[in-house]
Amino acid sequence: MKKLFTLAIMAVGITAFAQNKINLPETSKGPNIPYEKGYLVEEINNDLYWVTDGLYNAIFLIYDKGVIMVDAPPTIGNNIFKAIADVTNKPITHLVYTHSHTDHIGAAGLFPQGVIIIAQEETKSILEKRNDTRRPVPTVTFKESYTLKLGKQTLQLDYHGKNHMDGNIFVHAPKQKVLMLVDIVFPGWVPFKNLGIAEDVPAYMKAHNIALDYDFETFVAGHVTRLGNRTDVEVSKTFVNDLKETCQMAFGKVDFMKSAQETGFDDKWKMYNTYFEKVVDVATDEMKQKWEGKLGGLDTYLRDDVWKMCESLSVDF
């Protein structure tokens, strides 16, 4: 637990440094995280709250008899329970997994026995193979859609196929007009490394259109420093579409044979890697010129995102 607390404090420090020391666009900045607590909890509306450590986010919904938690990031850890206790003394009765990745549900093992854990069936299949006590296997699963209605509160859980990874779901609170979708949109920021380590880039891109079909005003991402909205999803969609077009352009600008003559043809991996690096260089420079000052994190992850898109153009599209 000391390690989890340290990680949470590190996340707070990252947020403070990013906002106070780096020249970030205003849209990349979020609320200050109380250092002494290591987390921030705020009501979105109608008893739906978000809790964040400045790097990871989760939500919880209060109904007449208890609390529904969505995700359990280990960097927040036991602070999840403190955040809930800040606003209600009702027990946690349900935990929803958005997907199987440890960085979003690795504190699930801290939850009391008897909590009902809900996830898409692909997530259950993955977790059964992982056999990880930090991530208990879900007790309730669904294939395409599941409506969790408790008292006057409703969460709609939908699976539209693989995007970030198998089992990653859309969590919609219709009454509150809130949509949670993890590891697809990063409000105010370029995507995390390699497009959020997307396993299927075409499906990752398509997820933006699916998200915009929902009726929502507030968007909750799994990462970074603030709540989002429809505009953030639109901006992310524009960014990844531009990324694809720019990478396509870069392939057309770099002459493979000319590049290969520089390296020689004997070392096939060096020959291809040198060519690919040149393509990535062209696309990265073009994207940086167009997006500088609009999104945070360009210097850190733009090149990795470009590489991932170029790779996907080579094998997926």
Side-chain angles (χ1 to χ4, degrees), residues 90-106:
K90 294 179 180 178
I92 301 170
T93 59
H94 296 73
L95 171 61
V96 175
Y97 292 164
T98 57
H99 63 302
S100 64
H101 280 167
T102 311
D103 64 326
H104 290 282
I105 63 168

Side-chain angles (χ1 to χ4, degrees), residues 141-196:
T141 61
F142 63 95
K143 184 175 183 179
E144 295 179 351
S145 293
Y146 185 90
T147 302
L148 179 58
K149 185 172 177 59
L150 295 168
K152 296 180 179 180
Q153 300 285 25
T154 300
L155 284 182
Q156 181 64 38
L157 314 179
D158 296 319
Y159 183 57
H160 297 282
K162 187 174 186 174
N163 46 68
H164 165 64
M165 67 169 300
D166 287 327
N168 195 35
I169 63 171
F170 294 70
V171 180
H172 186 221
K175 180 179 178 181
Q176 291 82 4
K177 291 194 173 184
V178 171
L179 178 67
M180 182 174 184
L181 177 62
V182 174
D183 289 339
I184 301 292
V185 176
F186 302 79
W189 295 77
V190 298
F192 181 76
K193 187 180 180 73
N194 298 330
L195 297 177

Side-chain angles (χ1 to χ4, degrees), residues 10 87 89 113 176-177 180 201 232 240 282 290 310 316:
M10 286 173 61
V87 296
N89 59 6
Q113 291 289 326
Q176 291 82 4
K177 291 194 173 184
M180 182 174 184
V201 172
D232 288 304
V240 295
V282 170
K290 288 189 282 187
C310 287
D316 293 326

Side-chain angles (χ1 to χ4, degrees), residues 109-122:
L110 302 176
F111 280 59
Q113 291 289 326
V115 170
I116 298 169
I117 302 176
I118 305 170
Q120 201 274 338
E121 59 186 23
E122 294 286 349

Side-chain angles (χ1 to χ4, degrees), residues 4 11 77 97 199 224:
L4 293 179
Y97 292 164
E199 294 183 4
V224 294

Side-chain angles (χ1 to χ4, degrees), residues 218-231:
T218 302
F219 181 86
V220 182
H223 289 281
V224 294
T225 59
R226 64 170 175 84
L227 294 171
N229 51 42
R230 295 189 70 87
T231 298

